[in-house]
Amino acid sequence: MAGRTQDGFAGQRVLVVGAGFMGAGIAQVCAARGLRVSLGDVSQPALDRARAGIVASLQKLAGKGQLTESPQTVLDRIDFGLALSPAAEADWIIEAALENLELKLKLFAELDRLARPEAVLASNTSSIPITRLAAATAHPERVLGLHFFGPVPLMGLVEVVKGQNTDPEAFERSAEFIRFLGKTPVKVARDIPGFVMNRVFSAAFREAVDLVAEGVVSPEDLDAGMRLGYGWAAGPFEIADNAGLDTCALINRFLVSVGEKNLTPRSDLVERLVAQGRVGRKVGKGFYRYTPDGKRQPWRDEG
Ligand SMILES: NC(=O)c1ccc[n+]([C@@H]2O[C@H](COP(=O)([O-])OP(=O)(O)OC[C@H]3O[C@@H](n4cnc5c(N)ncnc54)[C@H](O)[C@@H]3O)[C@@H](O)[C@H]2O)c1
């Protein structure tokens, strides 16, 4: 059984499913706290990218003196693999695969079959109700949301989301686990689409996207306004480009499908950008353009 005190988490094993932007970051943070981690994906190129990204991030943190061990020591705690079998040894299983309901339902059913009874089964979903994922398992009481924010090694917030049938003890233990990882848990006591933080962000992003689509303001001016006028550390378009506009579009589609139209833009601007391949920082173009060394520049339509 996972420990009650923070020390009790030492030596535990974590399986992270999905080695994309979020899964790689979650694996890195768990390994940096001394945990043994398996990082799984269906795509070998995704695993290779995840390894390279983790190495680069660890080196950067070490360069800033923010790592107590060598990057190699942390990296050595992570096994990269194509199978879900490490679920059988894990204390914590954190699913961070694509934001797709069918895919996640299948994964939860399979992970639940493989996992030990005392393991916690968590999803990093941005918008899918935890209770729906839990319904695909035989043990809904051990299913909950651990909604990390990206980039995970840099962001201090994790929403801990209680599904309708989540065991209150597993919920509290998970909040402790998040503290052990050096993050601050925000406890979400009821499982509603978008949870808390994405509902609030989506309301702001909806308005921001529509204002830009209607030609009222540019993304860079609106972002500067939110930074300077409201003290946001980054504007909504900077945040969306970092998160990936493809992920934002999937979240929007899901919110519409469950009747939460008030949280999504009226305009189809995000969908159009995604169709043009402008999916954000990871490809060097989104609402902004990014230089090869990662500098953000206003978008200009010269092609
Ligand atoms: N991007 C963000 O800022 C952010 C923030 C919070 C939560 N999330 C959520 O985290 C999850 C992952 O988002 P991301 O941005 O890392 O996406 P991503 O596209 O970077 O990565 C998703 C990964 O899942 C893998 N995958 C697909 N099917 C799989 C399967 N059956 N088994 C294992 N892996 C599989 C893909 O190969 C890919 O590597 C989504 O649910 C998303 O909503 C994203």
Side-chain angles (χ1 to χ4, degrees), residues 13 20 25 32 45 61 65 82 90 115 148-149 156 170 173 180 185 196-197 203 237 242 265 280:
R13 301 182 80 98
L61 291 172
L82 291 165
F148 290 78
F149 282 66
R173 181 156 36 101
F180 168 79
V196 171
M197 305 314 294
F237 295 108
N242 286 343

Side-chain angles (χ1 to χ4, degrees), residues 17-24 26 40-43 46-47 49 82 84 95-100 103-104 107 123-128 146-151 198 239 242-244 246-247 250-251 282:
V17 180
F21 175 59
M22 297 302 293
I26 295 167
D41 203 290
V42 285
S43 150
L47 289 169
R49 274 195 305 274
L82 291 165
L84 292 180
E95 173 277 317
L98 286 180
E99 187 76 344
N100 174 295
L103 169 74
K104 287 193 194 282
L107 274 173
S123 178
N124 186 49
T125 177
S126 307
S127 59
I128 299 174
L146 288 181
H147 183 214
F148 290 78
F149 282 66
N198 271 349
I239 293 172
N242 286 343
D246 46 352
T247 299
L250 289 174
I251 294 169
K282 59 190 166 189

